[in-house]
């Protein structure tokens, strides 16, 4: 076998810990590397390719490294080059590789390539009849994409969608009929959509032996990063590429599975040992990205959540840093301005803006941050997201605004009212569309405030200038603004998390336990992007449509804030999250005895002054809340632990509000795990019945 590397194999093991070395040098295949965020999974994946090339165990020209975004694929290629691989290793997304292979096959067999469908929503709209037309095409597109990712045919859609708890815009059967029509028409017109690239490549590999043999020869060694987000269609394709050869290495983290809503199946990672009994699973337990404080708070978030499985707690290796801060701001504008100020404060002499990123849950939250950065004169870049102006609903709204002969302010008022109507049963995509339109309405208000008379054309010009025109050049130094999803796999020294409110984190349409757990993992992904500092903010009110809506702090921040408070007190935050009081500090041996240094920005997360009551509490519940607090003080004193270790204020307030009568009802209160109920349940129920009876 020809090797092209001149790098000494041993040099490729430098800067790796024992478990990482084992993962790089293991001769077992298939190999699964399972580890938390920042543990070096991507580093190990690239080192393993380079190491095996250096030892002559593989020819890098026959390696296929798969990831989920083009950016990540570019990153892999760059890292491999820096490791001395002069030959080009193929690194790409499932789609890019499948499409390239199909194009080769079509060319070799003189098959006229089908056309790529570029406007899916428009295509679907053309298929709708009667009452279906009142539903936007994009809502059906989400369902069709989900079904294709799960390899669900139209006739099987109703049952599969019901089982998965999908909420199609119309009945399951009617949605299936539209899906069937979509497939028929698409075939008749010889069109393929994005997902068909994978499906057709998979089908051709199974039916065309020559094609399969040539592709399997070309890519003899398969590597997959972020495996927890593989969907069944991608997995089937991976298996078709692999054939009966064992050379596969996958890396993943079940706690970072954030694409189940879109058809990904984290079970594929969980079931790896059963599917490959001869394979090996290696775990990495040290974290190299985040400070002990950030890591401890993020780990507590996972462990504190009920129903989230966590495979061993990571240890931090980085030096101490600031305890994550949580700031409450009066509204979204104040929040955006505060983030811009904080970004400037953290921009020391000689530092790069690109050391910092602001992460948000939805695309619609980005424009206000862009405006704030611009006013503060901070160069910014928006990454990964489809720009707001390119969203289909925004294009439609803008073209309607330009066509209407009514005064611009009236048209915006009506648009705001239509955005205001929230449908409890709306789909994910419908909610996203509403949020995007709402962002447009808020920007229209800004424009109306500065222009007399405001016009649709004037707004359009202002929008284009405001949202994109003065972004710095794509490679210049800039702070990055992006969504939690787009931040997957990336890292920055300083990370700002904005809009940590109920409705965003977790997102309002996460109504099932599964969707809710995915939101919690998504917050974990976002929090673990930070290396040195993590600054969390939320706004007490936000303008939606015509209304200013009061907002509540994200419930996920409860366990998180408790963890931060525990860190300040030098207690293991994981133990607090579990309702136990193990006395050691989790992060590293280096920090066990030393109290972490808070750099001025202390967590204020949810702590109430004595005598004050949480806003959520009615005056009639104050007596019970006081009684619960008195009980907690006693309990804490007798156990010699800080009060919040027994129960935090938020949980006590919830108990006072809900007044549970039985242990089961008590268990339903957020923050009450089984351990707490078995330990304190009897006492709490007695206090509740005593106060209610008096
Ligand atoms: P994620 O789950 O977020 O994708 P990951 O497990 O892929 O994270 P990497 O991105 O590979 O983690 O590594 C996180 C950071 O730690 C990177 O900056 C990497 O270079 C660094 N790193 C990894 N292992 C080591 C090590 N042994 N020594 C020093 N730095 C390391
Ligand atoms: Mg990674």
């Amino acid at each position: 076998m020809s090797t092209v590397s001149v790098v000494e194999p041993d040099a490729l093991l430098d800067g790796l810990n024992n478990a990482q070395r084992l993962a790089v040098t293991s001769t077992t295949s298939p190999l699964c590397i399972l580890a938390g965020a920042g543990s070096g999974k991507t580093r190990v994946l690239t080192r393993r390719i380079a190491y095996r090339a250096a030892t002559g165990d593989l020819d890098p020209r026959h390696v296929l490294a798969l990831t989920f975004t083009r950016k990540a694929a570019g990153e892999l290629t760059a890292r491999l080059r820096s490791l001395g691989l002069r030959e080009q290793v193929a690194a790409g997304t499932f789609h890019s590789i499948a499409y390239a292979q199909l194009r080769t096959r079509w060319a070799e067999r003189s098959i006229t390539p089908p056309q790529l469908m570029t406007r899916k929503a428009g295509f679907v709209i053309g298929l709708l009849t009667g009452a279906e037309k009142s539903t936007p095409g994009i809502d059906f597109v989400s369902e069709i994409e989900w079904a294709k990712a799960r390899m669900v045919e139209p006739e099987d859609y109703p049952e599969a969608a019901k089982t998965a708890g999908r909420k199609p815009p119309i009945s399951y059967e009617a949605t299936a009929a539209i899906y069937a029509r979509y497939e028929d028409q698409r075939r008749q017109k010889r069109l393929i959509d994005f997902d068909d690239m994978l499906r057709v490549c998979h089908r051709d590999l199974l039916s065309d032996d020559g094609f399969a043999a040539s592709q399997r020869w070309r890519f003899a060694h398969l590597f997959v990063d972020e495996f927890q987000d593989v969907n069944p269609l991608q997995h089937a394709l991976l298996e078709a590429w692999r054939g009966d050869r064992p050379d596969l290495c996958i890396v993943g983290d079940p706690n970072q599975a954030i694409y189940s809503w879109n058809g990904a199946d984290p079970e594929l990672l969980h079931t790896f040992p059963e599917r490959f009994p001869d394979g090996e699973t290696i775990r990495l337990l040290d974290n190299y990205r985040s400070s002990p404080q950030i890591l401890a708070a993020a780990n507590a978030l996972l462990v504190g959540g009920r129903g989230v499985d966590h495979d061993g707690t990571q240890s931090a290796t980085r030096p101490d840093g600031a305890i994550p801060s949580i700031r409450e701001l009066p509204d979204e504008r104040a929040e955006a301005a505060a983030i811009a100020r904080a970004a400037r404060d953290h921009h020391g002499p000689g530092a790069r803006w690109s050391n910092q990123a602001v992460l948000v849950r939805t695309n619609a939250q980005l424009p206000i941050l862009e405006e704030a950065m611009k006013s503060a004169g901070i160069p910014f870049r928006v990454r990964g997201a489809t720009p707001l102006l390119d969203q289909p609903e925004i294009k439609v709204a803008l073209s309607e605004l330009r066509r209407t002969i009514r005064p611009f302010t009236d048209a915006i008022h009506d648009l705001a009212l239509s955005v205001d109507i929230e449908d409890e049963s709306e789909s994910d995509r419908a909610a996203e569309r509403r949020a995007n339109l709402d962002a447009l309405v808020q920007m229209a208000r800004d424009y109306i405030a500065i222009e007399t008379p405001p016009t649709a054309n004037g707004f359009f010009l202002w929008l284009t200038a405001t949202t994109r025109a003065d972004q710095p050049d794509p490679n210049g130094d800039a702070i990055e603004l992006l969504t939690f999803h787009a931040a997957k796999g990336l890292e920055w020294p300083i990370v700002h998390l904005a809009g940590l409110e109920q409705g965003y984190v977790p997102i309002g349409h996460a109504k099932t336990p599964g969707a809710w757990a995915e939101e919690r993992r998504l917050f974990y992904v976002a929090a673990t992007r930070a290396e040195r500092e993590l600054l969390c903010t939320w706004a007490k009110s936000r303008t939606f449509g015509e209304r200013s809506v009061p907002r509540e702090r994200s419930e996920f921040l409860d366990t998180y804030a408790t963890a931060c408070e525990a860190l300040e007190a030098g207690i293991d935050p994981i133990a607090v999250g579990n309702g136990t009081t193990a006395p050691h500090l989790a992060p590293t041996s280096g920090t066990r005895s030393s109290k972490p240094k808070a750099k001025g920005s202390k967590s204020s997360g949810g702590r109430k002054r004595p005598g004050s009551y949480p806003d959520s509490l009615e005056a009639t519940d104050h007596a019970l809340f006081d009684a619960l607090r008195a009980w907690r003080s006693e309990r804490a004193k007798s156990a010699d632990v800080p009060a919040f270790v027994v129960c935090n204020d938020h949980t006590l307030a919830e108990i006072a509000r809900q007044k549970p009568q039985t242990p089961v009802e008590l268990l339903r209160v957020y923050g009450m795990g089984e351990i707490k109920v078995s330990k304190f349940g009897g006492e709490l129920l007695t206090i509740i019945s005593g106060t209610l009876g008096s």
Side-chain angles (χ1 to χ4, degrees):
M1 188 176 286
S2 81
T3 51
V4 284
S5 175
V6 290
V7 175
E8 278 298 311
D10 281 354
L12 291 163
L13 303 179
D14 285 350
L16 297 178
N17 65 31
N18 286 342
Q20 291 176 330
R21 274 172 194 229
L22 194 68
V24 167
T25 56
S26 166
T27 52
T28 311
S29 198
L31 183 68
C32 171
I33 297 158
L34 208 58
S39 54
K41 294 184 298 298
T42 305
R43 175 182 269 221
V44 162
L45 183 113
T46 46
R47 292 282 185 108
R48 182 171 166 84
I49 297 171
Y51 180 81
R52 290 183 59 191
T55 56
D57 186 36
L58 59 67
D59 181 341
R61 288 168 300 188
H62 292 286
V63 167
L64 175 57
L66 291 153
T67 70
F68 284 82
T69 60
R70 257 180 281 160
K71 160 92 188 128
E75 177 78 27
L76 275 186
T77 313
R79 285 208 204 180
L80 288 165
R81 284 222 186 91
S82 74
L83 291 172
L85 284 179
R86 273 189 255 125
E87 290 294 309
Q88 174 73 34
V89 170
T93 62
F94 282 84
H95 286 98
S96 66
I97 303 289
Y99 197 43
Q101 293 189 353
L102 285 173
R103 281 199 312 269
T104 310
R105 178 172 183 271
W106 294 328
E108 282 172 3
R109 287 161 181 71
S110 305
I111 298 170
T112 315
Q115 266 203 331
L116 193 60
M117 190 191 287
T118 48
R119 299 195 53 221
K120 231 190 256 183
F123 187 77
V124 170
I125 288 168
L127 304 172
L128 304 180
T129 57
E132 292 164 2
K133 285 190 175 156
S134 58
T135 302
I138 195 81
D139 286 1
F140 296 111
V141 169
S142 309
E143 289 312 298
I144 293 172
E145 286 179 348
W146 174 83
K148 287 190 156 192
R150 309 290 299 195
M151 301 179 86
V152 169
E153 296 296 327
E155 58 273 23
D156 301 323
Y157 171 83
E159 203 183 325
K162 251 178 251 169
T163 311
R166 303 289 299 178
K167 281 192 200 147
I170 53 176
S171 76
Y172 291 108
E173 285 69 24
T175 306
I178 292 168
Y179 177 20
R181 249 179 274 157
Y182 171 90
E183 287 293 82
D184 274 357
Q185 286 292 313
R186 184 188 63 68
R187 285 201 185 96
Q188 273 184 32
K189 297 199 159 83
R190 284 207 83 237
L191 293 169
I192 62 167
D193 65 24
F194 211 52
D195 303 307
D196 291 325
M197 292 177 195
L198 309 187
R199 200 180 48 77
V200 174
C201 189
H202 172 245
R203 184 198 64 195
D204 291 351
L205 285 165
L206 296 190
S207 63
D208 180 342
D209 290 345
F211 175 53
S214 70
Q215 295 311 327
R216 287 173 192 161
W217 173 82
R218 168 89 175 81
F219 296 127
H221 316 284
L222 303 173
F223 294 79
V224 189
D225 200 359
E226 309 270 5
F227 193 84
Q228 73 279 354
D229 287 322
V230 164
N231 68 39
L233 177 57
Q234 288 161 334
H235 188 252
L237 178 59
L238 181 69
E239 285 298 282
W241 274 329
R242 199 171 68 81
D244 53 5
R245 297 147 324 142
D247 201 3
L248 171 69
C249 170
I250 63 169
V251 309
D253 176 7
N255 285 321
Q256 292 187 71
I258 55 172
Y259 279 97
S260 312
W261 60 278
N262 210 12
D265 184 1
E267 277 304 298
L268 293 166
L269 181 60
H270 283 297
T271 54
F272 176 87
E274 292 148 42
R275 286 184 292 120
F276 298 106
D278 296 336
E280 183 183 6
T281 298
I282 295 178
R283 288 164 209 273
L284 312 175
L285 288 176
D286 289 332
N287 178 294
Y288 289 91
R289 177 178 295 141
S290 307
S291 71
Q293 288 68 26
I294 292 170
L295 183 66
N299 279 345
L301 180 69
L302 279 182
V303 179
R306 287 190 219 143
V308 180
D309 73 326
H310 188 74
D311 230 315
T313 304
Q314 289 185 317
S315 299
T317 63
R318 307 255 313 188
D320 274 344
I323 293 170
S325 67
I326 302 171
R327 284 187 70 190
E328 166 191 310
L329 281 307
D331 57 38
E332 73 271 28
R333 283 179 194 283
E335 185 193 29
I339 293 171
R341 268 196 309 276
R344 192 165 278 296
D345 290 347
H346 284 80
H347 183 66
R352 292 178 59 78
W353 286 113
S354 58
N355 279 352
Q356 302 190 48
V358 187
L359 313 187
V360 289
R361 174 65 183 82
T362 67
N363 286 317
Q365 293 164 260
L366 291 169
I368 190 155
L369 289 165
E370 294 177 39
E371 278 184 52
M373 293 300 158
K374 216 150 39 71
S375 320
I378 297 174
F380 63 92
R381 184 164 34 245
V382 180
R383 191 187 311 190
T386 312
L388 189 75
L389 297 192
D390 293 341
Q391 301 283 354
E393 59 276 8
I394 298 295
K395 285 185 171 171
V396 171
L398 285 175
S399 79
E400 278 172 9
L401 282 172
R402 290 173 96 172
R403 271 205 310 270
T404 182
I405 48 166
R406 288 182 312 146
F408 181 70
T409 37
D410 289 357
I412 289 297
H413 181 75
D414 287 353
L415 181 61
L417 289 180
S418 72
V419 171
D420 232 10
I421 303 163
E422 183 178 349
D423 177 0
E424 262 293 294
S425 64
E426 71 187 359
S427 66
D428 299 3
R429 178 57 198 144
E432 193 185 323
R433 196 178 50 243
R434 211 160 45 74
N436 287 338
L437 284 171
D438 195 64
L440 186 74
V441 168
Q442 302 313 329
M443 287 193 285
R445 297 233 164 90
D446 290 350
Y447 162 73
I448 290 168
I450 54 161
E451 178 116 2
T452 10
T455 63
N457 274 337
F459 178 47
F460 188 74
L461 293 175
W462 178 86
L463 258 187
T464 336
T466 308
T467 53
R468 291 289 174 268
D470 50 3
Q471 274 202 41
D473 83 84
N475 301 314
D477 183 29
I479 186 168
E480 301 217 48
L481 313 180
L482 66 171
T483 62
F484 292 179
H485 280 100
K488 175 164 112 157
L490 307 178
E491 58 191 15
W492 296 267
I494 298 161
V495 171
H496 308 257
L497 301 183
L500 298 179
E501 298 144 28
Q502 293 293 100
Y504 282 153
V505 184
I507 197 81
H509 54 72
K511 300 258 162 61
T512 62
W516 191 88
E518 183 147 303
E519 290 297 308
R520 190 185 264 277
R521 292 194 297 270
L522 186 54
F523 185 27
Y524 170 76
V525 168
T528 51
R529 300 307 97 200
E531 294 168 12
R532 289 201 318 259
E533 272 203 68
L534 186 56
L535 301 116
C536 305
T537 52
W538 68 284
K540 281 193 82 176
S541 86
R542 215 168 262 278
T543 310
F544 292 100
E546 294 280 273
R547 287 176 303 162
S548 167
V549 180
R551 305 281 280 176
E552 279 177 41
R553 197 179 82 159
S554 164
E555 64 192 279
F556 295 157
L557 276 178
D558 293 345
T559 44
Y560 196 77
T562 306
C564 295
E565 287 168 349
L567 279 165
E568 284 180 36
I571 295 167
D572 176 2
I574 304 290
V576 178
N578 279 337
T580 61
T581 53
H584 72 281
L585 190 67
T588 54
S589 47
T591 59
R592 276 186 192 181
S593 52
S594 65
K595 193 174 155 189
K597 304 176 282 291
K599 286 184 198 149
S601 54
K602 279 187 145 194
S603 156
S604 63
R607 236 188 294 173
K608 295 275 166 192
R609 287 182 311 281
S612 70
Y613 296 100
D615 298 339
S616 61
L617 218 52
E618 301 284 330
T620 47
D621 298 332
H622 287 180
L624 178 51
F625 183 68
D626 285 341
L628 291 167
R629 266 189 166 172
W631 163 82
R632 180 180 62 180
S633 299
E634 278 304 304
R635 259 285 172 186
K637 225 180 282 163
S638 61
D640 197 22
V641 293
F644 65 82
V645 172
V646 178
C647 241
N648 66 22
D649 266 1
H650 183 85
T651 305
L652 292 188
E654 276 306 292
I655 296 175
R657 209 170 57 78
Q658 296 179 27
K659 302 171 200 59
Q661 307 285 308
T662 65
V664 174
E665 285 176 13
L666 197 54
L667 198 57
R668 282 198 208 115
V669 174
Y670 185 76
M672 289 300 296
E674 273 168 28
I675 297 173
K676 279 193 179 164
V677 172
S678 68
K679 229 167 157 182
F680 307 133
E683 293 168 35
L684 287 169
L685 292 173
T686 310
I687 295 170
I688 296 164
S689 61
T691 313
L692 292 184
S694 63

